[in-house]
Amino acid sequence: MSLDGTYDPGNIFARILRGEMPSVRVFEDDHVLAFMDVFPQARGHTLVIPKHSTARNFLEETPENIGPLMEGVQRVAKAVRAALNPDGIVITQFNGSPAGQTVYHLHVHIIPRWEGVALGRHGEGMADVEELKGLAAQISAKIA
Ligand code: 5GP
């Protein structure tokens, strides 16, 4: 899907938001939901999505939603750092399939990185749910 298109309310993240599909949740406030990526590129790979949004990508989001979304991203990224002590953190976001986007509800990736540990492939290799729950609990405990 290119940058043009229509928001599909049946997309997987919309279904997670409505509680129709399971997810390992990390943090939630009035504006954002953070949950573990089920095909993580690194240990602790977390996604942050706006809750009240029909933006498929960053370009479509309202200015009013961008601020609270990025505040949520920073808050969760700080908790990821405090919980997992990575050497670096990638914060990234893809717009349109040529850019790597596969799910069309706006989302931001928080990917911890450690020296000498290669980045996993995007969207491949399903994580163990119990392990994700453990990581989510660690991160959640550090939300300030
Ligand atoms: P995108 O490629 O659109 O930037 O990122 C979508 C992300 O969602 C990928 O990293 C992929 O691993 C993740 N993902 C896809 N389906 C699911 C799912 O059902 N649950 C969770 N938690 N993550 C998913």
Side-chain angles (χ1 to χ4, degrees):
M1 212 184 285
S2 75
L3 290 175
D4 298 312
T6 309
Y7 182 82
D8 173 10
N11 77 73
I12 187 73
F13 291 172
R15 297 179 70 195
I16 284 173
L17 272 171
R18 293 195 297 268
E20 296 168 5
M21 288 292 287
S23 66
V24 179
R25 294 182 177 221
V26 173
F27 169 72
E28 182 169 6
D29 65 11
D30 289 345
H31 304 284
V32 300
L33 171 67
F35 55 97
M36 303 310 296
D37 195 305
V38 81
F39 305 103
Q41 287 186 264
R43 195 167 67 89
H45 184 165
T46 305
L47 300 169
V48 182
I49 64 175
K51 284 167 68 168
H52 310 291
S53 177
T54 54
R56 293 174 316 126
N57 57 50
F58 192 78
L59 284 68
E60 290 181 357
E61 189 52 280
T62 62
E64 293 73 27
N65 274 353
I66 291 292
L69 171 63
M70 297 316 287
E71 283 175 29
V73 169
Q74 189 192 51
R75 200 167 172 196
V76 175
K78 285 181 173 180
V80 166
R81 181 187 187 187
L84 304 179
N85 194 29
D87 300 313
I89 300 178
V90 175
I91 295 175
T92 192
Q93 188 277 320
F94 305 120
N95 302 281
S97 96
Q101 185 173 12
T102 59
V103 178
Y104 292 87
H105 179 109
L106 172 60
H107 54 279
V108 178
H109 297 259
I110 298 171
I111 308 175
R113 300 296 312 272
W114 287 268
E115 298 283 359
V117 178
L119 191 65
R121 286 174 64 106
H122 184 53
E124 270 185 23
M126 193 159 178
D128 177 78
V129 172
E130 290 309 313
E131 189 182 337
L132 290 186
K133 285 180 181 171
L135 288 162
Q138 280 179 266
I139 298 166
S140 169
K142 297 292 186 182
I143 295 279

